[in-house]
Amino acid sequence: MRLRMEERSLDVAPVPAEGKTILRLEGVNKWYHRGTLRNTHVLRDINLDVTRGEVLVVIGPSGSGKSTLLRCINFVAPPETGTVVFLGRKWTKDNVPINPIERLRYERELNVLRTRIGMVFQHFNLFPHMTALQNVTLGLTRVLKVPGKQARDRAMAELERVGLGTKAKSYPSQLSGGQKQRVAIARALAMKPQLMLFDEVTSALDPELIGGILEEMKKLAVDGMTMIVVTHEMGFAREVGDRLIFMDEGVIVEEGVARDVIAGPKNDRTRAFLRAIL
């Protein structure tokens, strides 16, 4: 598979989004496959705009397509049909080029896309044989080709930003769940992304650790980071979210101002879901 872009040239320097829209999904569909058969229609004709500096909260039951939505945005799982427009460039699914030079170009374009879209998962995905500092530095040196000392300084600054400057030399086995998640956030931020995706980042944490991670995310929102947050933390959604979408069976069922949807959902399915978790 490869991506067909509106522009073929893509450097590492950030590109301003056209107008206020940083991300647009147009008619995005995604299926799970078994062999050559399409078994489950996970996302159904998703159309969505995200503006620069916005915090978009995504809620819904398990299996509704929330995580798949994030993976389609950064092309970890490219949509079968539809278009992702990010920073003014269009990305669609196409055939993988056979020509080795074109294939290398495709891989480079895909890597640069992902540097501009940071993603933090519910499981930390840290390298166990690397220290916190090394985990944060790795993407800078391998992907962005930042020189060693500059990369370490940048990584250290991000660890200090999330309150883990004193844990730079610690290995993941020496960190709590909340600290591991902070390292994962620092690793994503070190790449200087234009958009941050958070996929249930507190679901694997003990209750007493959740508040600290949510506080870090609130700081990012205050700093103007554009964020899409999949969560069941309705207090965070109400306080920090600008807009909220409720998904069910691969469809955006309801959308609106986060506080308004939580306080008075108009759709029966949204109402039932919120009643069950609040």
Side-chain angles (χ1 to χ4, degrees):
M1 314 300 298
R2 79 177 178 96
L3 306 181
R4 184 178 68 250
M5 298 202 328
E6 189 177 39
E7 297 181 20
R8 296 297 300 166
S9 131
L10 186 62
D11 56 24
V12 175
V15 177
E18 294 180 2
K20 292 185 177 181
T21 300
I22 189 171
L23 173 73
R24 174 176 294 120
L25 305 185
E26 301 173 348
V28 166
N29 285 271
K30 180 68 178 177
W31 286 264
Y32 284 144
H33 296 262
R34 179 173 297 171
T36 59
L37 299 177
R38 290 177 172 177
N39 290 92
T40 306
H41 199 170
V42 190
L43 297 177
R44 303 169 181 265
D45 296 319
I46 299 294
N47 295 289
L48 182 67
D49 283 4
V50 178
T51 58
R52 187 176 291 278
E54 180 179 22
V55 178
L56 174 67
V57 177
V58 184
I59 65 171
S62 297
S64 60
K66 306 183 301 296
S67 295
T68 302
L69 176 68
L70 300 188
R71 285 163 171 75
C72 283
I73 289 171
N74 70 355
F75 272 75
V76 170
E80 260 75 23
T81 63
T83 302
V84 175
V85 184
F86 179 64
L87 293 172
R89 289 186 171 92
K90 293 184 178 180
W91 303 76
T92 60
K93 189 176 181 181
D94 206 341
N95 295 325
V96 177
I98 298 176
N99 183 289
I101 296 177
E102 285 297 312
R103 179 62 180 267
L104 286 174
R105 185 180 181 86
Y106 152 72
E107 295 292 346
R108 176 179 176 272
E109 291 169 349
L110 185 58
N111 284 337
V112 174
L113 170 71
R114 290 173 180 157
T115 66
R116 294 181 180 168
I117 303 177
M119 187 164 182
V120 183
F121 301 88
Q122 50 187 302
H123 298 290
F124 326 111
N125 296 331
L126 301 180
F127 291 105
H129 63 290
M130 293 183 175
T131 64
L133 182 62
Q134 290 169 334
N135 266 282
V136 178
T137 304
L138 184 63
L140 296 174
T141 56
R142 291 287 184 87
V143 180
L144 297 187
K145 308 302 181 185
V146 177
K149 184 181 185 305
Q150 184 181 343
R152 288 190 295 274
D153 290 346
R154 187 156 143 186
M156 191 66 195
E158 293 302 339
L159 284 173
E160 290 173 348
R161 179 178 181 178
V162 299
L164 286 182
T166 60
K167 298 292 185 179
K169 295 182 179 180
S170 299
Y171 290 89
S173 61
Q174 299 170 313
L175 301 175
S176 69
Q179 290 170 334
K180 292 176 188 176
Q181 197 60 284
R182 287 171 188 252
V183 173
I185 293 172
R187 178 177 58 187
L189 292 175
M191 306 297 282
K192 304 299 182 187
Q194 303 289 301
L195 169 66
M196 282 288 289
L197 310 178
F198 292 92
D199 187 13
E200 293 281 13
V201 295
T202 60
S203 65
L205 300 179
D206 293 332
E208 64 267 25
L209 301 176
I210 292 174
I213 297 302
L214 294 179
E215 281 301 316
E216 295 301 330
M217 294 167 66
K218 289 177 186 176
K219 291 176 186 176
L220 292 178
V222 170
D223 289 342
M225 175 64 73
T226 310
M227 300 159 58
I228 302 178
V229 183
V230 173
T231 186
H232 285 104
E233 299 293 336
M234 290 300 103
F236 173 87
R238 185 185 296 107
E239 181 181 350
V240 182
D242 296 305
R243 190 159 49 103
L244 180 147
I245 62 174
F246 172 72
M247 294 185 66
D248 191 30
E249 297 184 352
V251 176
I252 296 177
V253 174
E254 186 165 353
E255 176 181 352
V257 176
R259 291 189 179 189
D260 294 347
V261 174
I262 294 170
K266 295 180 172 59
N267 184 276
D268 290 341
R269 183 68 187 91
T270 313
R271 193 177 300 117
F273 175 79
L274 288 172
R275 190 182 303 120
I277 66 171
L278 291 176

